[in-house]
Amino acid sequence: MTTEALLARRFRVMGRHSPLFYDRPIELVRGEGVWVWDRDGRRYLDAYNNVPHVGHCHPRVVEALARQAATLNTHTRYLHEGIIAYAERLTSHFDPALSMVMFTCTGSEANELAIRIVRECSGGMGMIGTEHAYHGNTASVIQLGSLFTPPEKRGPYIRTVPVMDPYRDRGGRTDAALAAAYADEVRKAIDSFSAAGIRFAGLLFCTSFSSEGLPTLPDGFMAKALEHVHDAGGYFIADEVQSGFGRLGSHMWGHEMLGVVPDLVTLGKPMGNGHPLAGVVGRPELIERFASANMYFNTFAGNPVSAAVGSAVLDVLRDERLQENARDVGRHTLQALDHLKTRHEIIGDVRGKGLFFAIDLVQDRQSKRPAGDATKRVVNRMRDRGVLISRVGPGDNVLKIRPPMLFSSEHAGLLVDALDASLSEL
Ligand SMILES: Cc1ncc(COP(=O)(O)O)c(C=O)c1O
């Protein structure tokens, strides 16, 4: 069957609007480590997918899944030591104040649940998110994800604030002034709820502001804003769906990098290495208060198979020292990517932390106008060269590079060479 024939089948049964990567979509049939293969046996370097966090089809994860699936799979209404042990182990990776977990199957569900918890505990409905963010696809969460939701679809309980990207929005301001401006925006959003007679519930943000373009934020950036949130009786939710589990190298969690302890943390994507495992970790007083007033059960979430998978992911992260790898390989990769700036005028800014990189392509370095079309071409050329990346950001002009955590210097070399060649062809 040709790609065209398969596409036609897909369009018929899944519709034409179900998102698909690349102008020439790839039919992937196999994966191993940082590599994936298409049906013709062509190998691609996966420099984009963070879900196979410890590598595609990691044998220890596959083995843990298969062993538990062949033993028992039920749900959390039965006692199961494996689930409890995983919950204990997972929460041990957080600040002691964040000692309780509720499992979900997706990041969207985790954010939905976290919003319900802060609404229950604050008695308010008003939620603040960041402009151009994405947090998931449920009815409440999609309203906060302004990336895909225009203002008229957000409803009365949502406000969004700009993140203040130091590359584009600095406007001559110091780091402290930038943080103060962000805090002011949060304060204004809280005040606008009061003015509308809406009680404030909380603030939700992705700890690396990844869909927003991965800005490099100054130290202490969030502190004042979060003070405003708490002073107004609200709570803050740190979305670690993209940033968590050591990806940022220096820290296990993005909120640690930001120097804050959230009220709730939401987890997903890498947590199960491809198996649907996600959750909310948080302050027990909030979770207990919510759960005592709302029966919460999620049939598949945190079942014994999921717990075995989640545990195996933590085993591999520890035994293969993948957070340290993200830190070390990440540092070298960032330098090599940054060096491309000397060869390609279109690169306005290169940013990153650990194994998470953003390359901001601009029409010219003076105006910093986004080069969205060129960025799309680069993503497609990279695919043709056998390297998978994607793009994000308000102007769709930020190359997004976020490989599995076992990415090595050798892989980084392949990535940088392919990018150099693709940019040269523009
Ligand atoms: C930051 C962030 N939060 C939440 C989600 C939603 O996760 P899921 O697709 O598992 O529902 C995503 C998905 O892209 C995300 O990037």
Side-chain angles (χ1 to χ4, degrees):
M1 167 150 313
T2 62
T3 301
E4 289 67 32
L6 194 61
L7 260 181
R9 276 174 62 192
R10 177 177 154 125
F11 288 158
R12 244 189 326 273
V13 73
M14 292 170 67
R16 287 186 168 268
H17 301 287
S18 169
L20 201 51
F21 279 140
Y22 307 116
D23 290 347
R24 289 194 303 124
I26 314 180
E27 185 186 349
L28 295 178
V29 294
R30 188 165 76 81
E32 187 184 319
V34 295
W35 297 101
V36 284
W37 283 261
D38 71 11
R39 200 182 36 153
D40 300 326
R42 178 163 188 214
R43 189 172 80 153
Y44 298 82
L45 177 66
D46 186 354
Y48 179 67
N49 286 292
N50 64 335
V51 172
H53 194 57
V54 299
H56 287 273
C57 307
H58 194 290
R60 284 180 75 181
V61 178
V62 173
E63 204 267 328
L65 184 148
R67 190 168 6 98
Q68 187 58 46
T71 308
L72 174 76
N73 202 16
T74 52
H75 51 70
T76 53
R77 290 209 210 192
Y78 297 102
L79 269 179
H80 189 275
E81 206 272 334
I83 298 172
I84 298 164
Y86 175 57
E88 288 169 344
R89 198 169 159 199
L90 179 68
T91 52
S92 77
H93 286 278
F94 288 84
D95 184 278
L98 306 173
S99 59
M100 204 169 268
V101 58
M102 294 174 88
F103 290 112
T104 65
C105 300
T106 66
S108 304
E109 283 182 349
N111 282 321
E112 177 79 23
L113 177 58
I115 292 169
R116 286 183 64 195
I117 296 171
V118 302
R119 282 182 167 159
E120 174 75 34
C121 294
S122 65
M125 285 297 286
M127 289 296 307
I128 303 175
T130 312
E131 282 168 17
H132 309 294
Y134 180 72
H135 296 286
N137 56 28
T138 65
S140 311
V141 176
I142 197 71
Q143 293 188 333
L144 264 172
S146 54
L147 184 63
F148 300 118
T149 311
E152 64 276 12
K153 289 194 176 166
R154 289 182 208 156
Y157 300 122
I158 302 299
R159 303 286 184 274
T160 57
V161 293
V163 69
M164 307 286 172
D165 169 7
Y167 173 59
R168 275 210 171 65
D169 307 329
R170 186 178 282 284
R173 287 174 290 191
T174 61
D175 284 354
L178 214 57
Y182 173 72
D184 279 351
E185 292 287 340
V186 170
R187 177 76 254 169
K188 273 192 265 169
I190 293 171
D191 290 346
S192 90
F193 282 130
S194 313
I198 294 167
R199 198 150 160 189
F200 174 54
L203 169 74
L204 168 64
F205 63 94
C206 163
T207 56
S208 56
F209 296 93
S210 48
S211 299
E212 297 88 320
L214 207 77
T216 307
L217 297 177
D219 287 346
F221 182 77
M222 300 298 294
K224 189 73 193 166
L226 297 179
E227 222 177 279
H228 289 329
V229 168
H230 281 154
D231 288 350
Y235 298 99
F236 77 95
I237 305 166
D239 182 332
E240 296 281 359
V241 168
Q242 292 211 37
S243 330
F245 291 94
R247 164 141 320 262
L248 304 178
S250 57
H251 297 85
M252 181 74 163
W253 310 110
H255 65 262
E256 292 174 331
M257 198 182 73
L258 294 170
V260 298
V261 180
D263 298 302
L264 298 172
V265 179
T266 55
L267 306 172
K269 292 186 192 274
M271 189 171 174
N273 215 52
H275 181 84
L277 174 59
V280 178
V281 169
R283 299 181 187 271
E285 57 277 21
L286 299 188
I287 291 181
E288 292 284 43
R289 186 152 156 208
F290 169 80
S292 66
N294 301 273
M295 199 292 286
Y296 180 83
F297 173 60
N298 188 325
T299 302
F300 299 115
N303 65 50
V305 171
S306 302
V309 168
S311 229
V313 170
L314 292 178
D315 286 340
V316 178
L317 267 179
R318 179 197 58 208
D319 295 348
E320 298 187 14
R321 300 176 58 78
L322 294 182
Q323 185 181 329
E324 291 84 342
N325 185 65
R327 183 192 60 206
D328 299 342
V329 174
R331 194 184 312 120
H332 296 132
T333 311
L334 187 64
Q335 279 166 4
L337 291 171
D338 196 56
H339 187 67
L340 290 178
K341 267 203 299 210
T342 59
R343 296 175 39 74
H344 303 282
E345 267 296 303
I346 193 170
I347 299 180
D349 193 32
V350 176
R351 332 180 254 274
K353 199 80 187 72
L355 282 173
F356 206 157
F357 312 99
I359 303 177
D360 201 316
L361 301 188
V362 292
Q363 294 180 27
D364 63 86
R365 287 184 180 171
Q366 197 57 39
S367 74
K368 300 180 181 173
R369 267 199 310 276
D373 291 344
T375 312
K376 182 169 189 239
R377 284 202 299 280
V378 172
V379 169
N380 280 294
R381 297 241 163 100
M382 290 290 280
R383 170 249 185 265
D384 294 341
R385 288 201 151 76
V387 180
L388 306 184
I389 62 169
S390 189
R391 63 181 177 142
V392 282
D396 260 344
N397 66 310
V398 179
L399 295 173
K400 181 176 180 182
I401 301 171
R402 191 192 45 179
M405 294 279 282
L406 64 172
F407 206 67
S408 68
S409 300
E410 189 194 329
H411 301 134
L414 297 173
L415 165 77
V416 173
D417 288 350
L419 193 53
D420 192 14
S422 301
L423 289 165
S424 299
E425 275 176 13
L426 282 175

